[in-house]
Amino acid sequence: MKKIECIIKPFKLDDVKNALTEMGVTGMTVSEVRGFGRQKGHTELYRGAEYQIDFIPKVKLELVVNDDLISKIVETVQKEACTGRIGDGKIFVSPVEQSVRIRTGETGEDSL
Amino acid sequence: MKKIECIIKPFKLDDVKNALTEMGVTGMTVSEVRGFGRQKGHTELYRGAEYQIDFIPKVKLELVVNDDLISKIVETVQKEACTGRIGDGKIFVSPVEQSVRIRTGETGEDSL
Amino acid sequence: MKKIECIIKPFKLDDVKNALTEMGVTGMTVSEVRGFGRQKGHTELYRGAEYQIDFIPKVKLELVVNDDLISKIVETVQKEACTGRIGDGKIFVSPVEQSVRIRTGETGEDSL
Amino acid sequence: MKKLIPFITLVALLGLPALGLADDAPITADTVQNNLNFVWTCVAAFLVFLMQAGFAMVEAGFTRAKNACNIMMKNLMDFSVGALAFWAVGFGLMFGASNGYFGHSDFFFSGATGDDAPWNYAFWMFQVVFAATAATIISGAVAERTKFSAYMVYSIFVSALIYPIFGGWAWGSLYHGSGWLEGLGFIDFAGSSVVHSIGGWLALAGAIVVGPRLGKFDKNGKVKPIPGHNIPVASLGVFLLWFGWYGFNPGSTTTGDTSIAMIAVTTTMAAAAGAVAAMLFTWMKYGKSDIGMTLNGALAGLVGITAGCANVSVTSSVIIGLVAGVLVVLSVLFFDKIRVDDPVGAVSVHGVCGAWGTLAAGIFDTAGFSMHTVGVQLIGIAACFAWAFFAGLILFKAIDIVIGMRVSEEEEMAGLDFSEHGASAYP
Amino acid sequence: MKKLIPFITLVALLGLPALGLADDAPITADTVQNNLNFVWTCVAAFLVFLMQAGFAMVEAGFTRAKNACNIMMKNLMDFSVGALAFWAVGFGLMFGASNGYFGHSDFFFSGATGDDAPWNYAFWMFQVVFAATAATIISGAVAERTKFSAYMVYSIFVSALIYPIFGGWAWGSLYHGSGWLEGLGFIDFAGSSVVHSIGGWLALAGAIVVGPRLGKFDKNGKVKPIPGHNIPVASLGVFLLWFGWYGFNPGSTTTGDTSIAMIAVTTTMAAAAGAVAAMLFTWMKYGKSDIGMTLNGALAGLVGITAGCANVSVTSSVIIGLVAGVLVVLSVLFFDKIRVDDPVGAVSVHGVCGAWGTLAAGIFDTAGFSMHTVGVQLIGIAACFAWAFFAGLILFKAIDIVIGMRVSEEEEMAGLDFSEHGASAYP
Amino acid sequence: MKKLIPFITLVALLGLPALGLADDAPITADTVQNNLNFVWTCVAAFLVFLMQAGFAMVEAGFTRAKNACNIMMKNLMDFSVGALAFWAVGFGLMFGASNGYFGHSDFFFSGATGDDAPWNYAFWMFQVVFAATAATIISGAVAERTKFSAYMVYSIFVSALIYPIFGGWAWGSLYHGSGWLEGLGFIDFAGSSVVHSIGGWLALAGAIVVGPRLGKFDKNGKVKPIPGHNIPVASLGVFLLWFGWYGFNPGSTTTGDTSIAMIAVTTTMAAAAGAVAAMLFTWMKYGKSDIGMTLNGALAGLVGITAGCANVSVTSSVIIGLVAGVLVVLSVLFFDKIRVDDPVGAVSVHGVCGAWGTLAAGIFDTAGFSMHTVGVQLIGIAACFAWAFFAGLILFKAIDIVIGMRVSEEEEMAGLDFSEHGASAYP
Ligand SMILES: Nc1ncnc2c1ncn2[C@@H]1O[C@H](COP(=O)(O)OP(=O)(O)O)[C@@H](O)[C@H]1O
Ligand SMILES: Nc1ncnc2c1ncn2[C@@H]1O[C@H](COP(=O)(O)OP(=O)(O)O)[C@@H](O)[C@H]1O
Ligand SMILES: Nc1ncnc2c1ncn2[C@@H]1O[C@H](COP(=O)(O)OP(=O)(O)O)[C@@H](O)[C@H]1O
């Protein structure tokens, strides 16, 4: 079981979600984040003074899935979230040792 | 040392937090997330047009704890956060290799 | 490749970010979180009734980096985010198995 | 514009001076004074209308985001449905030819009935915004848990029956009616009782019948505050209400004359004193000045001066405001203690301070203090409570039995915006 | 204050009664009535001005946070730039000495031209806030995707040309002009057509030329709602508009007389009926009452009564409002179906219900129903559509060719706050 | 309502025409004009009151969320405490029988003192809202870091001493007083100096004494903007202020006469011109139009026309507004450069543009340009700055020494909502 963390451009969320559900992913958790990276921020104007916004709004997608699905999911997300323009984001995969479904207490694969 | 990530229903946060503090957990970090899963979203109405809300508000709870506490905590969270209704959420456990308390620089167990 | 998660006081974000960029970190992801810990919350007043705010606003910083940089980064963050007052926060390090840059599909080190 | 419509050419003529032909159309000072009364009464009515926005903002600000749309709907609807109900039934009950207890003419107000149609319109316009105010007051006390359908129904009954009947007792003779209470010499110039206490006691009945919001009181009955989601919006609401009150009190002369200035001054001073008193009182009590209470304090001062605004001195108005500002704080705490959940403090602001204001109008009467006057005021206060609270209990109970007053636990947790309107205030 | 300026010492004298020297300065009732007309007309104009805030709030509330600054700028600017344009050109075209099609005097209005300067100012003041209203209406329909520069340009043309020309046809004779339409006996007391339909049909042309927002319609043309970001703010806007309408309709007498009361009543009832109708209609249609539509319903009722507010009965005003409340819902759905993206429903509220109101003013005329009157109203409605829609199409197309109407995809996604003003509404 | 109170039965009689008995009660045109003056002055005062809401919204919108409750408290309190202070002391100092420098009668204003009580009330009502305006102006400049207790104290001193004394110099003779400045022929019709510059220069002193907010300037003194948290709310505030200004300027006639229309027009044009000028100027300067500055530009135009609104031509008002709109932008940048931290630009809008407006009232005087008039205006401007700025410095320094002007670093970082009121604006 592994966790796939994807940081993507907000407006790509729908496409990615749809693509994942089509390939049978049944669950994921999403959160609003702000990113800093190669894609430098922009300057804003406030009452005559300019200032730098370093952090750009991004969306973070977390899914915990069985190992066999990993490559397929990573591939899909990469394909769907890609605009080719700087700031598209990242995908990180990390180990998960245990999973529980709160409602039923099921653990492991069945809990996903 | 492991990290326990719990995705729960927002109104359950207080119960879970209280139960955990009672059993001696001294720290945790919480964030607002939106979840997608078996519990399908709902449709809303805006100026005469209906639309689907896929993502449901959830709360994510993160605690890093010593291995010995894991099972007990997982159990507690599962018990407290459970309503038996779909959408109760998940608990994920993953490895943490190192921990530092910023204030003191302490590391490992003492830092928690 | 590892992930460094730092939970810090919000007003320290700029200092930490600047210190990290100076030492060559090129990317990170930030999110607003609320923390519970030794630093107990405060009581607020609402229309004549007092109530306890348990969770304190914090900022969570996530970076995935090559193993060789870990210690240096942890050290920097610890130094920069430290006020010596309770509630300064934590740093957690955990393993990451794979990383992809969505824009290019690059993986591993090059993707960071 | 005017030229285009025949039936006001007379008017157009009067207007012509403006176009430099004054001499052609001599008119009398009486006519002009009459026109001035229309202008003043209408402008005042418009200001009172804006209080609807004030109530909406206060209530929304003092409650949670998940119910904000519902609150807007309620405030828009109690005016809209209320206006229709008052037009069809309420006005006639309140001001129609009366047996002293209720009127029985002028239903489906057309302006045509009775003499002197034009003034009827001005008078009706001023009365309808008052009726709507009474109905709106309740909204805050039952917020965040009441069924929208139930809300619609009781708004109709309040505007069509409960408010007008008491109103007729105190004010009926302003028009075709005649009420037993005014007969006794009851003083309630702009409606501390007629509008605010009525609304406040109805709110109390409503809050009791519908019960407290989930989580307002823990198992041991301890209060667990449920903070409102937008205090600046609540504050804007208070400013709008204060502004509207300048139509509410001075406008109640329904004549454009020199008395309005003094009424505006007493209104201003009482509001200021109420805010200051609440601010200082909470500061002393909690070591910090409480904004929610201070906002309520300003409103308490306004409600307190409403009955006596035209017959108390400026100094008295300051005293009335100071008392109201302290009273409202104690009252809010009291209702919390007896576990009546009133999210915005409507019962304390309008009910309790309305009663205080009615009493104060007797005590501080510039005509001189007399036990008799005070006695009559007390009768009025008692009658007001008895009528509004018990009529309210019956009404809300009835609604509860027939369609249910309250939404389900799930719906309440999800928020009324979604469960009642399928919407969210801040998507 | 007054003492300080010579040229109103006469006035000061008139004022002296206030200082207890009445007897020294006898004045005539005509003069006082004239003064009253000034006071009433100015107060009404101020209320209409506040509608700018109402429009700004409605539009901001019904759109996304990332465009809120841009919407504020637009609403502030269409009034400011519009006022300058109307001052320089528009007023003269609308009310200057006319050939029946457009005026050709009183440009760069100085108040000096023509007789009787003081009244010119009052009249101009009342007219400029009307002109600004027409321009603002368009803003909502083209929101979230229109270039700010393009917006500036068309605002100038609307206030300086398109609005005044039709306005002159219907209202010119109120001043130095004379229009062919009023010549026929066209009834539009406060501007269902002259202001609202003109704005609405221009909005339609604008929405068509600029095209729908990204993501409003999916590839199959199905509507994908783009919820507004702050419904309570939109509701506040509706309350402010309703309040301002009490200047808009009763104020259109431009004389302080007894007719204003009945106009205030019909205005109130139509707005209430519109809100109730939309609320019930959506409730039946969707099983839940839709707040966005209900808010539009109240505005629809107000627009609907604007033409006939002074020549229909109270009962008729209720009917007019009820019809408008249903009509606006159907109209919003219709324009969605034909894929015209109007974020706030401006076309339906102002265009469609403005036409309905103009027709209704003929149908329900208290002077009695006559095919002729209705015929004239239909001519006016047609002329209004033809003029506003086609002049609009040409104007917007021209702007599109010269500077472009629409921002780039990137800019639209980033939001106009950043791309046009380098700002964010909620940093 | 009226029937219920003996002492206005006369009035009731006057009112009776409205009830169709005109003939019974003949009245004179003088009386009606007098009544009209009361209605107009009161309505104007109510509009000016609403400016409190405008100031609150502008200030809250231009500052951070963590201080929003504190800002509401300040705005509610400077009016409430200020009204009490002005009632007790200020009014007497400003308008009491005077030695030319300050008045010494009419304290604890009861309306009873002096002749002709009713008018006293109307006059006092109009003056109290002006006094509150001056006090509120300061609030914005010292926002986000000033102790609430210190704020209370200086609000009292401003309303009770600093504002009234200068006010007496310029306006005393409007009542029982007589000031040396008006003696010279100083022109300040509605208070560019008396209200706005006084407030602005006090704000400057306050901002200097309290010092810049943490993080406003980096170690090298470079400005680091601290964006406000809600621009739409700030914009709503500007619309409300503009609306209120129609009471502020035209209302300053305190007589309902024909001069108000022209004043309303100059006020409108100057505000529009100010907004347009600031918008274009920032557009040219930064390549994007700056909304914060544009909002300030509209206010700058309003402040600029306040002195001369009654004695300059429409064209002059446009020029005055254009200059003010550019001036305010340069001024904001200037004060940033000299490291005076004024979160909302109060010093630039009210101080600087108030001075400009006072000068402009002399330069563009329709009575004809004269060096003498301009000279007197300059004397007034200088006296205003000298008095307000230095009295302010002393006041704020004294407060700083006694109770401290500023909260601790921790409190400032936590936000005043929590540290001063234990609350949060958006829980
Ligand atoms: N090392 C990192 N650790 C965590 N998040 C990162 C890291 N590098 C980039 N990110 C996230 O990915 C986003 C996009 O990265 P960026 O370098 O801007 O463009 P690209 O993905 O095209 O290289 C950033 O905004 C940030 O949120
Ligand atoms: N595979 C997953 N990875 C990450 N989060 C998940 C996953 N599956 C579910 N979740 C989270 O758990 C929440 C509840 O899951 P859901 O399937 O809706 O109900 P249940 O927990 O009863 O199975 C979801 O809203 C989502 O936030
Ligand atoms: N065991 C834990 N797991 C996850 N987050 C924690 C844990 N303990 C503390 N935190 C986070 O660190 C923050 C600071 O911790 P706290 O105990 O308050 O002070 P200190 O860091 O000085 O010990 C908390 O607000 C919480 O967000």
Side-chain angles (χ1 to χ4, degrees), chain F residues 7-36:
Chain F
F7 86 87
I8 63 163
T9 29
L10 158 70
V11 169
L13 281 167
L14 303 192
L16 286 183
L19 305 170
L21 324 170
D23 359 44
D24 318 0
I27 53 175
T28 74
D30 279 336
T31 317
V32 182
Q33 177 64 51
N34 190 20
N35 288 342
L36 178 57

Short mmCIF file of all heavy atoms in Angstrom, two decimals, chain F residues 7-36:
data_model
loop_
_atom_site.label_atom_id
_atom_site.label_comp_id
_atom_site.label_asym_id
_atom_site.label_seq_id
_atom_site.Cartn_x
_atom_site.Cartn_y
_atom_site.Cartn_z
N PHE F 7 -47.76 67.67 23.60
CA PHE F 7 -47.06 68.91 23.21
C PHE F 7 -46.86 69.12 21.72
O PHE F 7 -46.34 70.13 21.30
CB PHE F 7 -45.73 69.01 23.96
CG PHE F 7 -44.59 68.31 23.30
CD1 PHE F 7 -43.82 68.95 22.34
CD2 PHE F 7 -44.29 67.00 23.62
CE1 PHE F 7 -42.77 68.31 21.73
CE2 PHE F 7 -43.23 66.36 23.02
CZ PHE F 7 -42.47 67.01 22.08
N ILE F 8 -47.24 68.17 20.89
CA ILE F 8 -47.14 68.51 19.47
C ILE F 8 -48.52 68.52 18.79
O ILE F 8 -48.65 68.27 17.61
CB ILE F 8 -46.16 67.61 18.70
CG1 ILE F 8 -46.63 66.15 18.70
CG2 ILE F 8 -44.75 67.76 19.18
CD1 ILE F 8 -45.95 65.32 17.62
N THR F 9 -49.54 68.80 19.58
CA THR F 9 -50.86 68.82 18.94
C THR F 9 -50.95 69.93 17.93
O THR F 9 -51.54 69.78 16.86
CB THR F 9 -51.99 68.94 19.98
OG1 THR F 9 -51.45 69.65 21.09
CG2 THR F 9 -52.48 67.58 20.41
N LEU F 10 -50.31 71.04 18.23
CA LEU F 10 -50.28 72.12 17.24
C LEU F 10 -49.85 71.48 15.94
O LEU F 10 -50.55 71.48 14.93
CB LEU F 10 -49.27 73.20 17.64
CG LEU F 10 -48.79 74.05 16.45
CD1 LEU F 10 -49.91 74.95 15.95
CD2 LEU F 10 -47.57 74.85 16.81
N VAL F 11 -48.70 70.85 16.05
CA VAL F 11 -48.15 70.12 14.93
C VAL F 11 -49.19 69.20 14.34
O VAL F 11 -49.47 69.19 13.16
CB VAL F 11 -46.97 69.26 15.45
CG1 VAL F 11 -46.56 68.29 14.36
CG2 VAL F 11 -45.85 70.17 15.88
N ALA F 12 -49.83 68.44 15.24
CA ALA F 12 -50.85 67.51 14.77
C ALA F 12 -51.86 68.28 13.93
O ALA F 12 -52.24 67.85 12.84
CB ALA F 12 -51.54 66.88 15.97
N LEU F 13 -52.21 69.47 14.41
CA LEU F 13 -53.15 70.28 13.65
C LEU F 13 -52.59 70.53 12.27
O LEU F 13 -53.19 70.24 11.25
CB LEU F 13 -53.41 71.61 14.37
CG LEU F 13 -54.40 71.45 15.54
CD1 LEU F 13 -54.39 72.68 16.42
CD2 LEU F 13 -55.80 71.21 14.97
N LEU F 14 -51.38 71.02 12.25
CA LEU F 14 -50.76 71.27 10.94
C LEU F 14 -50.87 70.01 10.12
O LEU F 14 -51.10 70.04 8.92
CB LEU F 14 -49.27 71.62 11.13
CG LEU F 14 -48.97 72.82 12.03
CD1 LEU F 14 -47.52 73.19 11.86
CD2 LEU F 14 -49.86 73.99 11.66
N GLY F 15 -50.70 68.90 10.81
CA GLY F 15 -50.73 67.63 10.11
C GLY F 15 -52.10 67.32 9.57
O GLY F 15 -52.26 66.65 8.56
N LEU F 16 -53.13 67.86 10.22
CA LEU F 16 -54.49 67.44 9.87
C LEU F 16 -54.83 67.58 8.40
O LEU F 16 -55.58 66.77 7.88
CB LEU F 16 -55.50 68.17 10.74
CG LEU F 16 -55.48 67.62 12.18
CD1 LEU F 16 -56.53 68.29 13.03
CD2 LEU F 16 -55.70 66.10 12.16
N PRO F 17 -54.33 68.59 7.73
CA PRO F 17 -54.67 68.63 6.31
C PRO F 17 -54.52 67.24 5.74
O PRO F 17 -55.38 66.72 5.05
CB PRO F 17 -53.63 69.58 5.73
CG PRO F 17 -53.21 70.45 6.86
CD PRO F 17 -53.45 69.67 8.13
N ALA F 18 -53.46 66.60 6.17
CA ALA F 18 -53.22 65.25 5.68
C ALA F 18 -54.42 64.38 5.95
O ALA F 18 -54.67 63.42 5.25
CB ALA F 18 -52.01 64.69 6.40
N LEU F 19 -55.17 64.71 6.99
CA LEU F 19 -56.33 63.90 7.31
C LEU F 19 -57.60 64.56 6.76
O LEU F 19 -58.70 64.25 7.16
CB LEU F 19 -56.42 63.67 8.80
CG LEU F 19 -55.11 63.06 9.35
CD1 LEU F 19 -55.09 63.06 10.85
CD2 LEU F 19 -54.93 61.65 8.80
N GLY F 20 -57.39 65.52 5.88
CA GLY F 20 -58.55 66.02 5.12
C GLY F 20 -59.28 67.17 5.78
O GLY F 20 -60.38 67.52 5.38
N LEU F 21 -58.69 67.76 6.82
CA LEU F 21 -59.41 68.86 7.47
C LEU F 21 -58.68 70.18 7.27
O LEU F 21 -58.71 71.08 8.10
CB LEU F 21 -59.55 68.58 8.97
CG LEU F 21 -59.77 67.11 9.32
CD1 LEU F 21 -59.66 66.90 10.80
CD2 LEU F 21 -61.16 66.69 8.81
N ALA F 22 -57.96 70.27 6.19
CA ALA F 22 -57.09 71.40 5.92
C ALA F 22 -57.69 72.71 6.45
O ALA F 22 -57.15 73.36 7.33
CB ALA F 22 -56.83 71.52 4.43
N ASP F 23 -58.83 73.02 5.95
CA ASP F 23 -59.43 74.32 6.20
C ASP F 23 -59.40 74.73 7.68
O ASP F 23 -59.27 75.90 8.01
CB ASP F 23 -60.86 74.33 5.68
CG ASP F 23 -61.21 73.01 5.04
OD1 ASP F 23 -60.84 71.98 5.67
OD2 ASP F 23 -61.76 73.00 3.94
N ASP F 24 -59.51 73.79 8.60
CA ASP F 24 -59.58 74.15 10.02
C ASP F 24 -58.32 74.88 10.50
O ASP F 24 -58.39 75.64 11.45
CB ASP F 24 -59.75 72.92 10.91
CG ASP F 24 -60.74 71.95 10.30
OD1 ASP F 24 -61.26 72.27 9.21
OD2 ASP F 24 -60.96 70.88 10.88
N ALA F 25 -57.20 74.62 9.91
CA ALA F 25 -55.98 75.11 10.52
C ALA F 25 -55.12 75.89 9.54
O ALA F 25 -54.15 75.35 9.01
CB ALA F 25 -55.18 73.93 11.08
N PRO F 26 -55.46 77.15 9.30
CA PRO F 26 -54.64 77.94 8.37
C PRO F 26 -53.25 78.16 8.96
O PRO F 26 -53.11 78.37 10.17
CB PRO F 26 -55.42 79.26 8.26
CG PRO F 26 -56.24 79.33 9.50
CD PRO F 26 -56.55 77.92 9.88
N ILE F 27 -52.22 78.05 8.19
CA ILE F 27 -50.87 78.30 8.66
C ILE F 27 -50.14 79.14 7.62
O ILE F 27 -50.56 79.21 6.47
CB ILE F 27 -50.10 76.99 8.87
CG1 ILE F 27 -50.16 76.12 7.60
CG2 ILE F 27 -50.67 76.23 10.07
CD1 ILE F 27 -49.33 74.87 7.71
N THR F 28 -49.05 79.75 8.06
CA THR F 28 -48.35 80.66 7.15
C THR F 28 -47.26 79.96 6.36
O THR F 28 -46.73 78.93 6.80
CB THR F 28 -47.67 81.79 7.93
OG1 THR F 28 -46.53 81.23 8.58
CG2 THR F 28 -48.61 82.37 8.97
N ALA F 29 -46.92 80.53 5.24
CA ALA F 29 -45.84 79.97 4.42
C ALA F 29 -44.54 79.97 5.20
O ALA F 29 -43.73 79.05 5.08
CB ALA F 29 -45.69 80.78 3.15
N ASP F 30 -44.33 80.96 6.03
CA ASP F 30 -43.11 81.00 6.84
C ASP F 30 -43.01 79.77 7.72
O ASP F 30 -41.96 79.12 7.79
CB ASP F 30 -43.11 82.26 7.74
CG ASP F 30 -42.66 83.48 6.96
OD1 ASP F 30 -41.94 83.30 5.95
OD2 ASP F 30 -43.04 84.59 7.34
N THR F 31 -44.10 79.43 8.36
CA THR F 31 -44.10 78.25 9.23
C THR F 31 -43.75 77.01 8.43
O THR F 31 -42.94 76.17 8.85
CB THR F 31 -45.49 78.06 9.86
OG1 THR F 31 -45.96 79.33 10.28
CG2 THR F 31 -45.43 77.09 11.02
N VAL F 32 -44.33 76.89 7.26
CA VAL F 32 -44.08 75.70 6.45
C VAL F 32 -42.62 75.66 6.02
O VAL F 32 -41.96 74.63 6.10
CB VAL F 32 -45.01 75.68 5.22
CG1 VAL F 32 -44.77 74.40 4.41
CG2 VAL F 32 -46.45 75.76 5.64
N GLN F 33 -42.09 76.83 5.60
CA GLN F 33 -40.68 76.88 5.21
C GLN F 33 -39.81 76.46 6.39
O GLN F 33 -38.86 75.71 6.25
CB GLN F 33 -40.28 78.29 4.77
CG GLN F 33 -38.80 78.42 4.40
CD GLN F 33 -38.42 77.57 3.20
OE1 GLN F 33 -39.06 77.61 2.16
NE2 GLN F 33 -37.39 76.76 3.34
N ASN F 34 -40.19 76.93 7.56
CA ASN F 34 -39.45 76.57 8.76
C ASN F 34 -39.50 75.06 8.97
O ASN F 34 -38.47 74.41 9.18
CB ASN F 34 -40.07 77.30 9.97
CG ASN F 34 -39.20 77.16 11.19
OD1 ASN F 34 -38.02 76.87 11.07
ND2 ASN F 34 -39.79 77.33 12.36
N ASN F 35 -40.68 74.48 8.84
CA ASN F 35 -40.80 73.02 8.95
C ASN F 35 -39.93 72.33 7.91
O ASN F 35 -39.25 71.34 8.20
CB ASN F 35 -42.25 72.60 8.77
CG ASN F 35 -43.08 72.99 9.97
OD1 ASN F 35 -42.55 73.26 11.04
ND2 ASN F 35 -44.39 73.03 9.78
N LEU F 36 -39.96 72.87 6.71
CA LEU F 36 -39.16 72.28 5.64
C LEU F 36 -37.68 72.31 6.00
O LEU F 36 -36.95 71.35 5.78
CB LEU F 36 -39.41 73.03 4.32
CG LEU F 36 -38.60 72.56 3.11
CD1 LEU F 36 -38.82 71.09 2.81
CD2 LEU F 36 -38.95 73.41 1.88
#
